[in-house]
Amino acid sequence: MTQTSQRPLRVLAAMSGGVDSAVAAARAAEAGHEVTGVHLALSANPQSFRTGARGCCTIEDSRDARRAADVIGIPFYVWDLAERFREDVVEDFVAEYEAGRTPNPCLRCNEKIKFAALLDKALALGFDAVCTGHYATVVLAEDGSRELHRASDMAKDQSYVLGVLDEKQLAHAMFPLGDTLTTKDEIRAEAEARGLAVAKKPDSHDICFIADGDTQGFLADRLGGRAEGDILDESGTKLGTHDGAFGFTIGQRKGLRIGHPAADGKPRYVLDISPVNNTVTVGPVEALDVTELTAIKPRWCGTPPTGPGAYTAQLRAHGGETEVGAELVDGTLHVTFTEPVRGVAPGQAVVLYDGTRVVGSATIATTARRERVSAPS
């Protein structure tokens, strides 16, 4: 059954300045909980205004969150977590790219900021739960434990980026939007009916701390000055040069700047990134087929699994599910795909599901690709 409470709770509602978190806070207050709104100041130098629909850390967002709290009728505060965010999310993001990996900063933010730094502070101040506008559900199992499940509406499900939460954190998590079958238009209509000015505000996209959406430019500012490196094919033949391996991701097709086409005339994709010798290897799309992976730093949304098991896995925030076999061996998660998948990169998170229940997540460390049979000469 869905998590319920027999008594009003003291709830800290994380309000980003967007429509989802505002409606979530309003629903929590309407349910009879004692709600306090808080906006997390995550940037040491926030911009005055957002750029289009990007970002969520501007002065404008803080003001929007405050106005929403005033309409709901709840106390509101701004907490400065900029230094913690810089260390745990931004610096981690840069370091991962420098190491040739592809991180997901939203997972890291949920793990380190919203459900670690924020939750720890909330509990210390006597709050019972942290409320956010994520689309996911917390279910109370028969044995009294908490489980994380997908949202009722799969189209809006955000359980992938919450797969880093453990059972203790789930016991203090509240997601008022997760168990209702409402479209985003209906959420906006609800916000408008409640008098919330954020009803028509665009959703934030991409990476919140890169307001203009230029990830390569952001990384170049921090990792630039590296010597140019080579772009190679699978045989090691030099095809071109690049200005920094950090500017590429596994599976990338565009922007390779290779001077001449492949022999078969087909597009080439980034297969490997090696920061050690500053090379990028490219090849045909078939070479991206991954059959197995290992993942480290597992986080379990409940009791860790024992022995081999059959699950489904999600590899991207907006990706689909794929059938896998998985087993935890000496702290490392070994995953085998029923059918090969493409575009899997070290640094990404693999999140395991048992039906709609989130089993846990881990960070991809290595991948194994399907052997390809060369065409006869």
Side-chain angles (χ1 to χ4, degrees):
M1 60 179 178
T2 302
Q3 180 180 359
T4 59
S5 175
Q6 300 300 317
R7 62 178 179 85
L9 302 176
R10 290 194 67 205
V11 175
L12 188 69
M15 303 181 70
S16 67
V19 63
D20 290 330
S21 60
V23 171
R27 288 186 179 184
E30 190 174 64
H33 300 300
E34 180 186 340
V35 180
T36 297
V38 63
H39 178 80
L40 304 183
L42 302 179
S43 173
N45 298 293
Q47 297 182 13
S48 296
F49 295 97
R50 68 170 53 231
T51 303
R54 301 183 188 277
C56 62
C57 305
T58 67
I59 294 174
E60 180 190 7
D61 294 314
S62 174
R63 292 169 179 167
D64 286 343
R66 182 179 295 278
R67 284 190 286 266
D70 287 342
V71 171
I72 298 168
I74 59 176
F76 178 83
Y77 300 91
V78 175
W79 287 358
D80 184 0
L81 292 179
E83 183 63 22
R84 180 76 180 264
F85 183 78
R86 181 186 63 81
E87 294 176 356
D88 289 344
V89 180
V90 180
E91 290 184 358
D92 175 81
F93 177 83
V94 174
E96 287 292 284
Y97 265 99
E98 187 175 26
R101 296 186 287 267
T102 306
N104 186 312
C106 293
L107 274 86
R108 196 64 61 237
C109 182
N110 284 325
E111 176 187 357
K112 299 291 187 178
I113 305 300
K114 293 177 182 174
F115 291 96
L118 177 61
L119 179 57
D120 288 347
K121 188 171 183 179
L123 294 177
L125 291 173
F127 287 94
D128 300 302
V130 166
C131 164
T132 74
H134 287 101
Y135 290 89
T137 58
V138 177
V139 171
L140 186 63
E142 294 297 329
D143 61 1
S145 63
R146 264 76 173 182
E147 297 176 351
L148 178 65
H149 284 250
R150 289 192 181 278
S152 298
D153 184 353
M154 278 290 293
K156 298 196 299 295
D157 175 64
Q158 292 177 305
S159 60
Y160 174 85
V161 296
L162 298 171
V164 290
L165 305 186
D166 60 28
E167 188 180 339
K168 180 181 177 181
Q169 292 169 323
L170 290 175
H172 299 285
M174 181 180 290
F175 307 121
L177 306 186
D179 59 357
T180 55
L181 287 170
T182 52
T183 66
K184 192 57 180 277
D185 286 342
E186 289 171 324
I187 291 292
R188 293 190 181 282
E190 179 180 336
E192 189 166 14
R194 292 180 181 276
L196 300 172
V198 293
K200 297 181 180 179
K201 185 175 181 179
D203 290 335
S204 59
H205 295 293
D206 301 306
I207 300 169
C208 70
F209 54 85
I210 306 178
D212 61 3
D214 183 9
T215 301
Q216 289 194 12
F218 175 86
L219 291 169
D221 287 343
R222 289 152 180 79
L223 299 175
R226 305 295 196 272
E228 74 174 21
D230 294 335
I231 299 177
L232 311 174
D233 66 15
E234 292 178 282
S235 68
T237 301
K238 180 177 176 179
L239 303 177
T241 60
H242 62 76
D243 297 326
F246 58 82
F248 298 85
T249 57
I250 301 296
Q252 178 179 335
R253 173 185 174 184
K254 297 181 179 179
L256 301 184
R257 295 182 299 172
I258 299 173
H260 51 280
D264 59 8
K266 294 182 179 179
R268 283 173 289 201
Y269 299 76
V270 174
L271 304 181
D272 289 295
I273 302 165
S274 175
V276 175
N277 54 18
N278 200 25
T279 60
V280 174
T281 302
V282 300
V285 68
E286 298 83 18
L288 288 170
D289 286 348
V290 169
T291 57
E292 301 176 28
L293 64 80
T294 63
I296 57 176
K297 301 177 183 177
R299 301 268 301 180
W300 305 110
C301 301
T303 305
T306 57
Y311 306 94
T312 58
Q314 188 171 329
L315 300 164
R316 301 175 189 82
H318 304 291
E321 290 180 285
T322 183
E323 294 182 353
V324 300
E327 183 177 9
L328 186 66
V329 180
D330 296 329
T332 297
L333 185 66
H334 295 257
V335 177
T336 302
F337 296 96
T338 303
E339 296 290 338
V341 295
R342 289 177 177 172
V344 183
Q348 292 176 332
V350 54
V351 177
L352 297 182
Y353 292 83
D354 180 6
T356 62
R357 180 176 69 88
V358 182
V359 177
S361 70
T363 301
I364 298 172
T366 64
T367 61
R369 294 188 175 134
R370 179 170 60 180
E371 292 187 11
R372 292 180 295 128
V373 179
S374 301
S377 57

